[in-house]
Amino acid sequence: MKQGLKIAIGADHAGFELKEVLLDGVEGIEVKDFGTYTPGSVDYPDFAHLVASAVEKGEADYGILICGSANGVAMTANKHQGIRAALCWKPEVAEPARSHNNANVLCIPARHVTVEEAREIVNVFFTVEFEGGRHATRVDKISC
């Protein structure tokens, strides 16, 4: 992972354990944890809006959202202008999410990936650069 990044992270109850594991041992980056802080049942939009807002306002360079399927957090985050939240369940999906779509929020489905897979997805997402060029023209057409 690139040194000096600011990352906002959030999860619901289904993503709580994976969030905690991913946070353990993170060095060289600034992480703002928006919760949840316990495995008790919570509503995923509450955390998705906090993370998306932090990225949208420039308080974080990127975001990570984790829930059971990652669909709910991705849908919620993508309601924010300037957010391009990508649901990534394997590294091969994370790579074009960054290089072609310039995704700025990574959404991980905790119930469908192992810890090792999640770590690899995070590593790819935060090391791949946006290619720009023809992809920039397309990305510019996303916002309404």
Side-chain angles (χ1 to χ4, degrees):
M1 198 177 299
K2 297 177 209 167
Q3 298 294 303
L5 287 178
K6 293 180 186 175
I7 297 175
I9 191 168
D12 72 355
H13 53 280
F16 169 73
E17 287 184 32
L18 182 57
K19 176 180 69 86
E20 295 299 304
V21 169
L22 291 175
L23 286 174
D24 188 40
V26 172
E27 295 178 14
I29 61 168
E30 183 181 326
V31 179
K32 171 68 174 158
D33 184 354
F34 285 95
T36 187
Y37 307 109
T38 68
S41 183
V42 294
D43 298 330
Y44 62 83
D46 296 340
F47 306 97
H49 285 305
L50 292 171
V51 169
S53 291
V55 175
E56 194 172 34
K57 293 175 184 173
E59 297 167 2
D61 300 310
Y62 298 98
I64 300 174
L65 288 167
I66 310 167
C67 74
S69 71
N71 281 304
V73 292
M75 289 178 196
T76 304
N78 278 321
K79 299 293 183 188
H80 291 253
Q81 288 298 315
I83 296 300
R84 293 171 305 281
L87 194 167
C88 300
W89 60 94
K90 59 184 181 176
E92 294 83 4
V93 175
E95 192 280 327
R98 284 289 307 129
S99 65
H100 292 188
N101 307 121
N102 201 17
N104 53 10
V105 176
L106 171 62
C107 301
I108 303 173
R111 292 184 177 141
H112 302 280
V113 299
T114 65
V115 170
E116 293 75 25
E117 289 169 330
R119 284 187 174 131
E120 192 174 348
I121 291 164
V122 168
N123 184 55
V124 167
F125 192 88
F126 291 109
T127 56
V128 169
E129 295 290 335
F130 178 51
E131 292 177 9
R134 71 182 194 275
H135 302 296
T137 302
R138 296 168 186 156
V139 170
D140 289 344
K141 294 180 178 183
I142 292 174
S143 294
C144 295

